[in-house]
Amino acid sequence: MAMALALLPFLIFSAVQLQADFRDEAFARREMLRLAAERSVADQQGRVRSTAALLEVLALEGTGPGCAARLTALDARLRIYDGFARFGPDGVLLCGSEGAPAAGAWMDDLRAGRRVVAAPSAGAAPGVLIALRLERPLGAFDGATAVVMPLGELLPRRDIRSLPAGAEAALVSPDGRVLATTRADAFADMPEVSPPPAETGEAVVVERNGRVYVRASLIDRELHVLFSAPAPGLLSWARLNPIGAFLMPLAVWLAAFVAVMALSERFVIRWLDYLQRVAAIHARGRLSVRPVQADAAPTEIRTLARTLDDLAAGVTTRDQSLVKALEEKDALMREIHHRVKNNLQIISSLLSMQQRSVTDASAKAALGDTRQRISALALIYRTLYQAEDLGRADMKDFLDALVGQMVADQAGRGQVIESSVRSDSLIVDPDKLAPMALWLVEAVANAQKHAFTTGGTALAVRFRVDGQTSVLEVEDDGPGLTPSTASGVGRTLMAAFAKQLRGETEILAGPLGGALIRMTFVTPGAPSAPEPSGTV
């Protein structure tokens, strides 16, 4: 009784499987028809693309005196087309073969930027007009080349092997009107089949009135392909084979159940469970645990246990090697940053010595500006090798250090400046620090030249993050905006540095009466650190 109750779900499953087999057969038939439709559409779309390539070649021959003759001769050789035409940018027919199409609303689509347009032909024979946009060297619209392809040439073939027996094909307009068909009565009672969705372009399958219909887009917005095939009947193989579909699986399951339950528990399951527990311990990072109990297991389990043991040993060795390599790399990078900072400071010192020996005021100021820029770059490298993470720097700490350095330099010239820095904390990619530092140097240098030399004594630096954008401001209490403030090399350099950060610079009148220089740019966040991979 217990075994009968245990087998009851399988009996129910077998009965359900019979129905599922029938549904699978119907689904497979629909899928076969859908795939055949998509393959046929792909073939016909290839013909449309080939036609567009032909039109592109024809456009290269120009519209000279022999244009009409060439198009007529080509039309005579290529029987799959009904007429070629070359139009100017105003829609006027420049030359064409006999039966050439006339300009229509499709010209507007080409003017709007579409490269290839297909539209129903307005001629006597049903067909599809295919037109190619022509452009001048600078991209301006230069007319079109067009040709008419008969609907019969676009009608899908029925000799595809994957097509179900009795399948028929038709070309339909976007509103569902049948334009051409391989057999009219196959679509006499055709239900409404929705067009393929524009987002995905997948074919739409509908089953009605004992037939399966598949609609696919051949030329988007202009022409669709519709396939039809008989749906599988109620008396399918799944309903006519109860022994093979139900009784034989039941007998096989009963025999396998007895053998598998008796043998797998003893020779496989308990050992796999043991190895699974060991692997879970390894996944938590305890790679020193070894599956020693598996020495008493069957040969295959022992081999698997040795492989797991070797894998854990290999991962341990690899992790140790990677940790050592990363430590060496980190130390080397810090040493490189340190040496670069020292070299830049040496250059700054040399420039300072040179500045003191120069008597020309403009040359002395130029050397001073250059020295400040180099000192700002040196500060970047000092910030990096002193940071805990070499690839990330805090904007707040960097601005405090840079402004303090520049104010101290000003104090060394005999003028005391009252400075304030208000900054949001933001972890920044080091590649973005250089243009921000150089922009700030130019902005502070502007205050040194135009504000502090005329009695100004206050400098305010502000940095704030507003979501996707950030704002960096430098304000002084000098005489305000002057013609020299809004022009010059400094303004050009600030605009260039702002452009590197995908931002822009503004020079405004500040609330303190002086000048306010503001840079608004895309927030330069640092790349996220990679997640550590788990140990298996």
Side-chain angles (χ1 to χ4, degrees):
M1 182 61 68
M3 182 61 68
L5 293 176
L7 291 177
L8 184 59
F10 180 76
L11 296 177
I12 297 174
F13 173 79
S14 298
V16 173
Q17 186 65 38
L18 291 176
Q19 180 65 22
D21 289 341
F22 173 77
R23 290 197 304 268
D24 290 344
E25 182 187 14
F27 176 77
R29 189 177 183 87
R30 290 194 297 270
E31 281 297 294
M32 190 181 349
L33 187 62
R34 183 183 65 81
L35 293 175
E38 292 179 348
R39 176 184 172 186
S40 177
V41 165
D43 293 340
Q44 300 297 25
Q45 287 175 343
R47 299 188 65 181
V48 173
R49 288 191 292 270
S50 300
T51 301
L54 174 62
L55 293 177
E56 191 168 8
V57 173
L58 291 178
L60 299 176
E61 297 185 0
T63 58
C67 175
R70 289 195 305 270
L71 295 181
T72 301
L74 183 62
D75 194 4
R77 289 196 304 269
L78 300 178
R79 300 295 184 182
I80 63 174
Y81 302 112
D82 281 343
F84 291 87
R86 173 70 162 83
F87 296 91
D90 54 357
V92 175
L93 179 65
L94 301 180
C95 62
S97 63
E98 183 178 355
W106 50 270
M107 285 290 290
D108 296 333
D109 291 339
L110 293 180
R111 288 192 186 96
R114 290 188 63 183
R115 183 176 179 273
V116 179
V117 169
S121 172
V128 174
L129 179 140
I130 301 174
L132 174 71
R133 172 188 171 94
L134 302 181
E135 295 181 349
R136 296 174 184 170
L138 294 180
F141 180 60
D142 195 30
T145 53
V147 68
V148 176
M149 179 179 288
L151 288 178
E153 296 295 334
L154 290 174
L155 198 63
R157 297 181 294 107
R158 291 185 298 165
D159 56 352
I160 301 176
R161 291 186 178 181
S162 58
L163 276 176
E168 301 292 339
L171 295 176
V172 298
S173 62
D175 58 1
R177 180 169 50 89
V178 177
L179 304 177
T181 177
T182 56
R183 201 183 81 188
D185 59 351
F187 303 91
D189 299 327
M190 179 183 67
E192 181 179 355
V193 183
S194 302
E199 307 84 38
T200 61
E202 295 180 352
V204 177
V205 183
V206 174
E207 183 175 345
R208 295 287 190 279
N209 304 328
R211 297 187 71 86
V212 178
Y213 297 89
V214 178
R215 183 170 177 174
S217 176
L218 177 58
I219 302 174
D220 189 23
R221 299 191 301 175
E222 283 84 21
L223 192 63
H224 293 172
V225 172
L226 190 65
F227 278 82
S228 174
L234 294 177
L235 297 178
S236 65
W237 64 270
R239 295 285 181 89
L240 299 177
N241 189 16
I243 296 178
F246 181 75
L247 297 180
M248 287 300 295
L250 178 60
V252 171
W253 185 87
L254 285 172
F257 179 80
V258 174
V260 170
M261 292 302 296
L263 300 177
S264 63
E265 176 63 28
R266 177 175 178 80
F267 295 104
V268 178
I269 294 178
R270 69 188 183 99
W271 292 113
L272 290 180
D273 184 65
Y274 169 70
L275 293 180
Q276 182 182 13
R277 293 196 304 271
V278 174
I281 295 174
H282 288 174
R284 291 193 293 269
R286 296 174 57 190
L287 298 176
S288 59
V289 177
R290 297 291 183 258
V292 293
Q293 296 182 16
D295 293 340
T299 304
E300 293 80 2
I301 300 298
R302 289 201 305 271
T303 302
L304 183 59
R306 284 195 298 269
T307 303
L308 185 62
D309 195 11
D310 294 341
L311 180 61
V315 170
T316 301
T317 302
R318 184 197 65 181
D319 285 351
Q320 293 173 350
S321 176
L322 289 176
V323 170
K324 183 179 179 181
L326 287 175
E327 291 175 349
E328 293 176 353
K329 175 187 174 183
D330 187 75
L332 181 60
M333 289 299 297
R334 292 183 188 277
E335 179 64 22
I336 291 174
H337 288 332
H338 191 197
R339 293 189 181 187
V340 171
K341 187 267 296 182
N342 289 341
N343 290 336
L344 290 175
Q345 286 183 338
I346 291 174
I347 295 173
S348 178
S349 299
L350 293 174
L351 288 175
S352 180
M353 295 173 59
Q354 187 68 36
Q355 183 183 14
R356 287 194 295 269
S357 65
V358 171
T359 58
D360 183 72
S362 60
K364 196 167 188 176
L367 288 173
D369 292 343
T370 303
R371 185 174 60 82
Q372 283 188 334
R373 296 175 187 128
I374 293 176
S375 297
L377 295 177
L379 181 61
I380 292 176
Y381 286 97
R382 191 186 77 180
T383 301
L384 291 179
Y385 78 73
Q386 289 180 348
E388 183 176 346
D389 187 346
L390 287 173
R392 302 156 72 87
D394 193 330
M395 187 67 176
K396 185 178 187 310
D397 297 338
F398 178 75
L399 287 180
D400 289 339
L402 180 57
V403 174
Q405 175 179 287
M406 297 183 69
V407 170
D409 182 72
Q410 187 72 15
R413 304 177 192 176
Q415 184 177 9
V416 178
I417 302 299
E418 180 182 351
S419 64
S420 64
V421 179
R422 289 190 299 170
S423 172
D424 293 343
S425 181
L426 177 68
I427 301 301
V428 184
D429 187 344
D431 292 338
K432 305 297 183 182
L433 277 179
M436 281 192 289
L438 294 175
W439 185 94
L440 185 60
V441 167
E442 297 301 326
V444 175
N446 181 79
Q448 291 172 340
K449 293 176 183 178
H450 303 291
F452 302 152
T453 57
T454 58
T457 59
L459 176 70
V461 177
R462 296 181 290 272
F463 173 73
R464 66 179 184 275
V465 179
D466 297 330
Q468 297 297 322
T469 60
S470 296
V471 178
L472 180 58
E473 296 178 340
V474 175
E475 182 182 357
D476 60 63
D477 62 345
L481 297 178
T482 63
S484 59
T485 306
S487 61
V489 177
R491 175 63 186 271
T492 303
L493 290 175
M494 284 190 289
F497 297 142
K499 187 175 181 181
Q500 293 182 28
L501 297 169
R502 293 187 294 167
E504 58 183 12
T505 298
E506 302 175 274
I507 299 181
L508 310 169
L512 300 178
L516 172 63
I517 304 179
R518 175 186 298 153
M519 176 174 63
T520 305
F521 55 101
V522 178
T523 299
S528 300
E531 294 292 336
S533 59
T535 304
V536 179

